[in-house]
Amino acid sequence: KHFSHPDKKIRDKAVAVFSKWVSRQENLEDEDHVRLWKALFYCYWMSDKGPVQRELAERLSALINVCANQQQAERFIRAFYTTMQREWAGIDRLRMDKFYNLIRCFQKETFAFLAKSNWRSASIAWVNKIVSEGPLGLNHDGEALPCKNPGLQLHMVDIVLEEITEALNDGITVESWMGVLEPYLELLSSVVDKAVFDRVYQRIFEVLAGKQWLSAS
């Protein structure tokens, strides 16, 4: 109840206490993380005004790198997207922008997590599985399914290059880079909706072919 308290100070204290607690939890199951993210979702729901929302989005996203081990981080990330998919239809128009920002921050922190792992292929693979079978709407064979949350799907497409940029500062191998892009290549090759195809092509692959990315590589 402290997470959704109307008093910001109480919510902030709850997040600080939670951060210390979750860093010591080595055996939480998937359902435990889902319950935790339900509370964190409503904590963020209660935040108002841009600076407060941005600060909280960064704090919640940074919890990825507070988790006690990689398995816990994986479950934390999966529970986040499970929660976003479950709650997306209930987010009203006035709150949509702030949840877009939360997803941006979370994506950025996920890439930072992968960078800290030196872009290990196993880490990339399980993040890809979560993102593919979650917000991107692909099945385990990489085939597009009817998308229940197209706004969430398209937002993931829109932000991937923007949010990975900082994590690339220390370098990445071609193999790892192709691994990161794999879910979006699968989406491009399997989607039947022309609007989604165009969005993936224009916001990712057309940009990658542009002068800025070619010079950076």
Side-chain angles (χ1 to χ4, degrees):
K1 62 182 180 181
H2 289 167
F3 282 124
S4 57
H5 198 281
D7 189 328
K8 178 182 179 298
K9 292 181 180 179
I10 293 176
R11 295 198 307 271
D12 286 349
K13 184 177 180 180
V15 172
V17 171
F18 175 78
S19 178
K20 293 179 181 179
W21 177 82
V22 80
S23 69
R24 300 190 298 270
Q25 307 307 307
E26 299 182 355
N27 299 299
L28 296 176
E29 299 295 335
D30 284 320
E31 55 267 30
D32 297 321
H33 282 280
V34 169
R35 283 195 293 268
L36 292 171
W37 257 113
K38 183 173 183 178
L40 295 174
F41 177 90
Y42 285 105
C43 179
Y44 191 69
W45 181 283
M46 294 296 294
S47 65
D48 56 5
K49 299 181 181 178
V52 172
Q53 294 164 7
R54 286 190 292 272
E55 178 190 8
L56 183 56
E58 290 171 359
R59 291 181 68 192
L60 297 181
S61 300
L63 292 170
I64 295 171
N65 287 295
V66 171
C67 290
N69 53 49
Q70 180 164 308
Q71 183 186 59
Q72 291 301 302
E74 176 182 351
R75 289 174 175 173
F76 186 78
I77 293 170
R78 183 183 294 112
F80 170 77
Y81 286 114
T82 297
T83 303
M84 290 300 109
Q85 289 175 272
R86 185 188 66 236
E87 303 290 347
W88 195 258
I91 300 174
D92 57 79
R93 180 177 56 83
L94 296 176
R95 288 185 172 91
M96 188 60 70
D97 282 348
K98 78 175 184 180
F99 278 96
Y100 278 147
N101 185 60
L102 175 59
I103 292 167
R104 275 188 176 276
C105 289
F106 201 86
Q107 182 78 301
K108 181 178 180 179
E109 199 67 30
T110 301
F111 288 136
F113 176 83
L114 291 176
K116 289 177 183 177
S117 77
N118 293 316
W119 302 100
R120 289 176 60 247
S121 58
S123 298
I124 293 173
W126 61 252
V127 168
N128 283 354
K129 180 177 175 62
I130 291 169
V131 171
S132 294
E133 297 179 5
L136 291 187
L138 299 169
N139 65 19
H140 63 276
D141 293 322
E143 300 171 340
L145 299 171
C147 188
K148 297 179 181 179
N149 299 301
L152 177 57
Q153 180 191 54
L154 294 177
H155 186 59
M156 294 292 292
V157 170
D158 288 343
I159 67 176
V160 60
L161 293 187
E162 296 173 7
E163 301 310 322
I164 200 173
T165 302
E166 186 174 323
L168 295 177
N169 286 343
D170 293 330
I172 185 173
T173 66
V174 172
E175 181 181 5
S176 296
W177 184 223
M178 293 303 296
V180 170
L181 293 176
E182 183 176 346
Y184 302 92
L185 284 164
E186 289 181 346
L187 184 59
L188 189 69
S189 65
S190 64
V191 74
V192 294
D193 187 322
K194 185 178 184 301
V196 176
F197 178 94
D198 289 346
R199 192 74 155 261
V200 176
Y201 178 76
Q202 292 166 4
R203 295 304 299 265
I204 299 178
F205 298 102
E206 194 171 65
V207 174
L208 286 173
K211 186 179 297 184
Q212 175 185 346
W213 281 88
L214 289 175
S215 61
S217 62

